Amino acid sequence: MTGAGRERGLVVAAVVGLLVTGFLAISFGSYFASRSTVRDTVLRAELPLTADSVYSEIQRDLIRPILISSLMAADTFVRDWALAGERDAAPIVAYLAEIKRRFGAFTAFYVSDRTRTYYHAEGVLKTVREEDPRDAWFFRVRAMREAYEINLDPDMANSDALTIFINYRVEDFEGRFIGTTGVGLTVDAVRRLIDDYQSRFERTIFLANDRGKIVMVGKGGDVPEPEIAARGDLVRAAGPLPREGTRAFAYALRGETRLANVRYIPELQWFLFVEKSDEAGQAAVRRTLWLNLALAAAVTAIALAGALATLARYQRRIEALATTDPLTGLATRHGYRLLADQMEKELRRTPQRVSVLMADVDRFKSVNDARGHAAGDATLAAVGRALRAELRASDIRVRWGGDEFLVVLRGCDLVRAQDLAERIRRAAAAAAGPTAGVTLSVGVAERDPLEPLEATVARADHALMDAKRAGRDRVAVAAPPNTPARPPAG
């Protein structure tokens, strides 16, 4: 490994070490600090907030059917139709069907106090009777003072599907009871709501009545017990269930600690339980730890990539300074060696003819002496522009010395090389400007397949000297190399 490579490795190792140490210290410090407070946070803050959110959602989901029942009870059509003697069931049946369709209710109904007829969205269901236990709800509503009740009963109009009914009193224009109207929600619909709550809030949620019976659970199977008394030591830990506010407590269930919150839902007269495993709370802290470590790894990787990219960029700049002449934009002699090595490898795979040009600015010293070094630099830059413009990107273009330039042409014979040399000579004069008086002398040599490239360069250099001796501003062609005789085939 070179000294620069070792230094680069040390810089990267130092950056990674500092980042990893810092992130580990922060992550594990935060983890151990959080473990001691997570239970109290879950019990005193997280679960009550979840319970409030679920309670608000339940209220919202129940308010709509309550409002629908209220609107039906106050609808003048319902009261006018009932007070007119209920002579034709078709209008009220159509009305209930429209309520069911428009609001997406599971069922919609009206029960008359005068005729005791039970109307629903598909017609007349039955006549309610005081001696029938299944009709007790109607007479309970008839006798109560509250405007409505929410009741859980089988729906006789829908194959006895367990349904949550909102039963609303209907009164005439003088406040006398004339019947009951309302809508129903299936228990499955409410269970789906609970499943949705559990999924969104990632908690165990269930409802129990004031007798301790668990009346509503989700479909996840987290609450198999029929009553709260069978759910570990929940009853002992919870104590008397609150009718106002909430209560937080922890209890043991099936070998684990559960963190719970309970509150009363007066609209349903049920208790809402929201639970979370204590282990789940600790797992959340561990997940945070892993997330922090993952983020630390990501940040470390990004920082490492940035450091490597920065080092690589500076290394490329250093290499560019070493291989590219900043004045002319051509390769340096160091760059030439790298390009020539690459070319030799490619020529071994795919042989091609190669020609070499060696060019020199005529009387360059006099340009510097008469017009200054700035003019000399401008002259060299003009020659560099001419070489870049006239040659292919695959050709090797080198600033060989102070005012000398080397060109290696792949796939180019001597005739084409001479033509290119003439074009370069004219282009350099044009690039420098008509008043600059810049001329080039160029030597051209075609490489023999058995000749080292350095020998071809030397022959082109000799041809350049011939062009200088012949009066400058011209192209001279090198003599063929003195190559040894090839052995006969055989």
Side-chain angles (χ1 to χ4, degrees):
M1 180 183 290
T2 65
R6 283 193 297 272
E7 290 180 3
R8 179 181 177 185
L10 289 174
V11 170
V12 172
V15 171
V16 172
L18 287 173
L19 288 173
V20 170
T21 301
F23 280 126
L24 287 178
I26 294 171
S27 298
F28 280 100
S30 175
Y31 169 67
F32 287 114
S34 299
R35 285 183 61 186
S36 62
T37 58
V38 65
R39 172 183 281 197
D40 189 64
T41 300
V42 171
L43 202 57
R44 305 299 175 187
E46 185 180 315
L47 286 180
L49 286 174
T50 303
D52 288 344
S53 298
V54 174
Y55 175 60
S56 298
E57 298 255 355
I58 290 176
Q59 280 189 314
R60 185 200 66 189
D61 291 326
L62 289 175
I63 282 173
R64 186 166 180 267
I66 291 171
L67 288 176
I68 295 169
S69 297
S70 173
L71 290 172
M72 293 169 64
D75 197 325
T76 55
F77 165 76
V78 175
R79 290 186 288 179
D80 287 343
W81 178 83
L83 294 173
E86 307 174 34
R87 287 189 293 271
D88 182 7
I92 193 67
V93 170
Y95 171 83
L96 294 172
E98 178 65 14
I99 290 291
K100 181 179 176 181
R101 183 194 65 79
R102 177 173 297 182
F103 297 106
F106 179 65
T107 187
F109 63 89
Y110 172 73
V111 180
S112 168
D113 184 53
R114 185 177 67 85
T115 64
R116 305 292 170 85
T117 303
Y118 189 125
Y119 301 95
H120 69 99
E122 296 179 2
V124 175
L125 178 65
K126 60 176 289 188
T127 300
V128 299
R129 294 174 298 140
E130 288 189 70
E131 60 272 17
D132 188 344
R134 301 186 66 175
D135 297 334
W137 66 270
F138 173 77
F139 299 98
R140 183 175 63 248
V141 173
R142 186 174 185 270
M144 73 183 187
R145 295 184 178 182
E146 294 80 6
Y148 73 95
E149 73 164 10
I150 299 177
N151 190 44
L152 182 65
D153 271 321
D155 183 6
M156 292 177 288
N158 288 283
S159 304
D160 283 346
L162 197 59
T163 304
I164 298 175
F165 288 99
I166 293 88
N167 304 318
Y168 226 102
R169 288 171 56 89
V170 182
E171 297 177 347
D172 64 14
F173 299 100
E174 296 179 359
R176 292 187 292 265
F177 178 79
I178 60 172
T180 301
T181 191
V183 295
L185 298 172
T186 64
V187 170
D188 284 341
V190 178
R191 284 200 179 104
R192 283 194 295 272
L193 292 176
I194 292 177
D195 287 335
D196 179 54
Y197 301 153
Q198 291 188 144
S199 174
R200 277 190 288 149
F201 297 111
E202 297 182 351
R203 305 289 181 267
T204 297
I205 299 171
F206 60 93
L207 299 166
N209 62 23
D210 54 6
R211 296 183 299 278
K213 181 180 178 181
I214 297 176
V215 295
M216 198 72 63
V217 299
K219 296 180 179 179
D222 293 340
V223 188
E225 297 83 7
E227 54 188 25
I228 61 174
R231 196 163 171 80
D233 66 345
L234 184 153
V235 172
R236 181 199 61 77
L241 299 180
R243 296 281 177 165
E244 295 182 358
T246 66
R247 178 172 299 155
F249 59 95
Y251 73 98
L253 174 67
R254 294 190 288 273
E256 70 168 357
T257 300
R258 305 286 295 182
L259 308 179
N261 185 276
V262 59
R263 70 172 302 155
Y264 187 61
I265 304 177
E267 294 89 348
L268 289 173
Q269 297 181 351
W270 291 345
F271 290 95
L272 168 66
F273 287 83
V274 178
E275 292 185 2
K276 179 180 181 179
S277 169
D278 186 39
E279 172 59 25
Q282 296 295 338
V285 177
R286 286 195 293 273
R287 284 196 299 271
T288 302
L289 171 65
W290 294 122
L291 177 60
N292 287 339
L293 292 176
L295 289 173
V299 171
T300 301
I302 293 171
L304 178 59
L308 290 173
T310 301
L311 290 172
R313 184 168 64 252
Y314 280 111
Q315 186 173 357
R316 286 195 298 270
R317 288 185 62 186
I318 292 170
E319 291 174 351
L321 290 173
T323 59
T324 304
D325 176 51
L327 178 61
T328 62
L330 306 178
T332 62
R333 291 187 77 151
H334 175 67
Y336 161 73
R337 285 192 291 272
L338 299 176
L339 294 171
D341 289 344
Q342 180 63 32
M343 184 189 73
E344 294 285 17
K345 294 176 183 177
E346 293 174 0
L347 290 176
R348 281 194 289 271
R349 292 195 299 269
T350 308
Q352 289 180 298
R353 303 180 83 167
V354 175
S355 293
V356 174
L357 310 181
M358 184 69 79
D360 182 82
V361 180
D362 296 327
R363 298 184 179 88
F364 182 70
K365 185 176 183 302
S366 64
V367 174
N368 278 337
D369 292 342
R371 298 167 54 197
H373 288 285
D377 288 346
T379 298
L380 297 175
V383 175
R385 288 196 299 274
L387 290 174
R388 292 198 305 274
E390 295 296 328
L391 300 176
R392 302 165 297 181
S394 60
D395 296 328
I396 300 175
R397 299 159 295 186
V398 186
R399 184 180 176 187
W400 194 247
D403 60 340
E404 277 191 316
F405 299 89
L406 171 69
V407 177
V408 180
L409 305 165
R410 284 188 286 185
C412 183
D413 59 17
L414 188 61
V415 174
R416 283 189 61 204
Q418 285 180 269
D419 180 59
L420 278 172
E422 291 289 352
R423 284 166 50 191
I424 290 169
R425 188 176 60 80
R426 293 191 295 269
T435 62
V438 173
T439 62
L440 287 183
S441 294
V442 186
V444 182
E446 182 178 358
R447 183 187 185 185
D448 185 271
L450 299 179
E451 181 182 31
L453 183 60
E454 290 78 6
T456 311
V457 171
R459 288 195 299 112
D461 191 45
H462 290 146
L464 171 62
M465 295 301 102
D466 292 340
K468 292 280 189 181
R469 286 191 291 269
R472 298 182 176 85
D473 191 20
R474 66 192 63 222
V475 175
V477 179
N482 296 318
T483 54
R486 298 180 185 179

